[in-house]
Amino acid sequence: MGSLIEIGPFIKLQRTKQEMTQGDLAEGIVSLSYLSKIENKKTEASPEIIQLLCNRLGIELSESVDSNLEQKCKQWYEMLYDVYDKTKIIATYKELQGMMDKSINDNLLMFEIHKIRYYLVLRQIDKALSKINELNELVSSFNSIHHYYWCKFKGNYYSHTGEFNEAMRLYKIAEDKLNQVDVEETEIADLHYIISVTNSKLRNTLEVIDYANKAMDVFQKNYNFIRCAQCHILLGISYSRIKMYDKAIKNYNLAKHLGELEKNNQVIQLTNHNLGYLYATIGNSEKAIKFYLFVVEDKEESVSINNRMTAITNLIQEYYNIKNYDRANEMIEKARVILNKVKDKNNHYFQLYSYLVQTYTYALNNEEEKFKSFVTDEFIPYLKHHEDYGNLVLYGEMLGEYFESRGKYKESVKYYKLANSTYNELINL
């Protein structure tokens, strides 16, 4: 057993889970310093001592491979990919955790690594980070497959926190490990899909198209229409960015069709949202508003707060642009109601929406000084910090227009330049 997995860190893992101190565990078996050495892999304890420590923890050393446990784990891992029923995911997790708590076995490491993904699926971002920190001590015990998932799920974590360069670095390490591990083609397609998504966040448009097509080849073969739809959405976004609007609309409509076929509201609304954005980009406010309203007025729970808020803030912008200030103010009220209910106020998206709403509130109320100082001193630095180039272009231009309309040409040139240089950066990223 000792050769298969390093036993020390697992003893530490089980001890901390049971909220037992080193003193509680060591008493009458070994000295505190010796237990510390075992846990930190500074010494190799005898099988007798390991057995005594495991007995006190109420766990057994499992020499044999439990095929039932292995099968159950595999089932659970697969649930963490699809848009699966959360109650089932949680129930299976609890059942597995009960089995894992009784023994130290070869499935344990893989199970612990997949917990990072589990917490992310449940949007428990802090727990995912705690799990990453806890597992850091076990990295030296990882084999290739452990390393693969470790990099992939850590990448998922950084994607969730908006640190896309770090996510991409980790996904690339995972991709390099593909030739050392035996995983199914659907798993490879999933990695290609998230690399495509991350490239989209980083505005690497050609890579988005390349990876989305690779992923889609596999999803089509497996008749996984929802995953195909997700790829079509990515392709739509990319073609939109390189101004190939007909191709973009075609991909969005394919995605919407697949969403309707599978009765998947999430896909349908994501497509409506992106079609709204496309029409806004080409200056067709009327069509943009129509598609955004589909999202905002949808009563279904499956429309995430993030999607709803994005559609609302986009509507604020569109109504403001066409000078329909009453409707813009209505949307601001809608946004405030939702933002007040959000629990995680430190979330990157929550902060972004708060800034957007505040910016337009000042603009609509003609609070010139507040608008100017808020956007220049708080919002723009925030966008720069998060490398949010798309919004930087938008709000750089907004400030440029604001100063220009007030005859402050020197100031307006400064912000037009910011928008322009950011736009060039966006193209050359």
Side-chain angles (χ1 to χ4, degrees), residues 18 20 22-30 50-59:
Q18 296 179 31
M20 199 185 271
Q22 280 189 322
D24 295 336
L25 180 56
E27 197 185 340
I29 301 174
V30 285
I50 294 294
Q51 192 60 62
L52 289 168
L53 293 171
C54 285
N55 290 348
R56 180 155 295 167
L57 286 164
I59 51 176

Side-chain angles (χ1 to χ4, degrees), residues 280-299:
T281 307
I282 57 180
N284 188 336
S285 283
E286 197 185 324
K287 272 197 166 175
I289 287 168
K290 183 185 97 173
F291 283 108
Y292 287 144
L293 284 173
F294 281 146
V295 182
V296 173
E297 289 167 358
D298 190 317
K299 297 286 182 279

Side-chain angles (χ1 to χ4, degrees), residues 94-214:
K94 284 180 176 165
E95 188 185 343
L96 272 171
Q97 186 63 69
M99 293 161 93
M100 292 290 178
D101 283 341
K102 294 189 184 81
S103 70
I104 290 181
N105 59 73
D106 292 336
N107 294 297
L108 192 55
L109 250 185
M110 196 71 145
F111 178 68
E112 290 294 328
I113 293 166
H114 273 76
K115 281 188 192 176
I116 301 168
R117 175 77 189 172
Y118 169 70
Y119 290 131
L120 292 174
V121 167
L122 298 183
R123 299 288 180 270
Q124 296 174 345
I125 312 300
D126 293 347
K127 283 190 175 179
L129 180 61
S130 301
K131 182 51 66 181
I132 288 170
N133 292 334
E134 191 182 287
L135 286 171
N136 263 326
E137 300 184 27
L138 296 174
V139 172
S140 59
S141 321
F142 289 177
N143 62 23
S144 296
I145 192 81
H146 296 143
H147 266 292
Y148 167 78
Y149 284 112
W150 169 243
C151 291
K152 185 184 176 189
F153 297 155
K154 259 172 76 178
N156 291 165
Y157 169 78
Y158 285 110
S159 291
H160 273 275
T161 57
E163 293 163 83
F164 300 113
N165 283 307
E166 182 55 18
M168 182 59 87
R169 188 184 71 79
L170 288 155
Y171 291 148
K172 283 295 191 185
I173 298 172
E175 190 183 25
D176 289 343
K177 294 210 176 292
L178 282 174
N179 54 14
Q180 303 163 27
V181 296
D182 179 25
V183 290
E184 291 177 12
E185 64 172 4
T186 47
E187 166 56 39
I188 298 169
D190 185 73
L191 181 68
H192 285 160
Y193 171 74
I194 54 177
I195 290 175
S196 182
V197 171
T198 312
N199 272 314
S200 187
K201 298 288 186 191
L202 295 168
R203 306 268 170 158
N204 304 327
T205 305
L206 295 176
E207 281 92 336
V208 180
I209 294 169
D210 182 32
Y211 278 98
N213 280 320
K214 275 190 207 170

Side-chain angles (χ1 to χ4, degrees), residues 216-257:
M216 187 142 65
D217 285 345
V218 176
F219 295 142
Q220 276 176 341
K221 218 162 64 180
N222 289 282
Y223 301 104
N224 194 332
F225 295 141
I226 293 304
R227 301 306 305 264
C228 288
Q230 291 172 331
C231 293
H232 280 303
I233 289 170
L234 277 176
L235 291 169
I237 292 167
S238 298
Y239 287 125
S240 187
R241 280 180 181 158
I242 52 179
K243 298 186 167 43
M244 295 174 73
Y245 298 120
D246 290 346
K247 264 196 151 171
I249 291 168
K250 187 182 161 189
N251 273 285
Y252 287 144
N253 286 332
L254 279 165
K256 199 170 180 177
H257 174 67

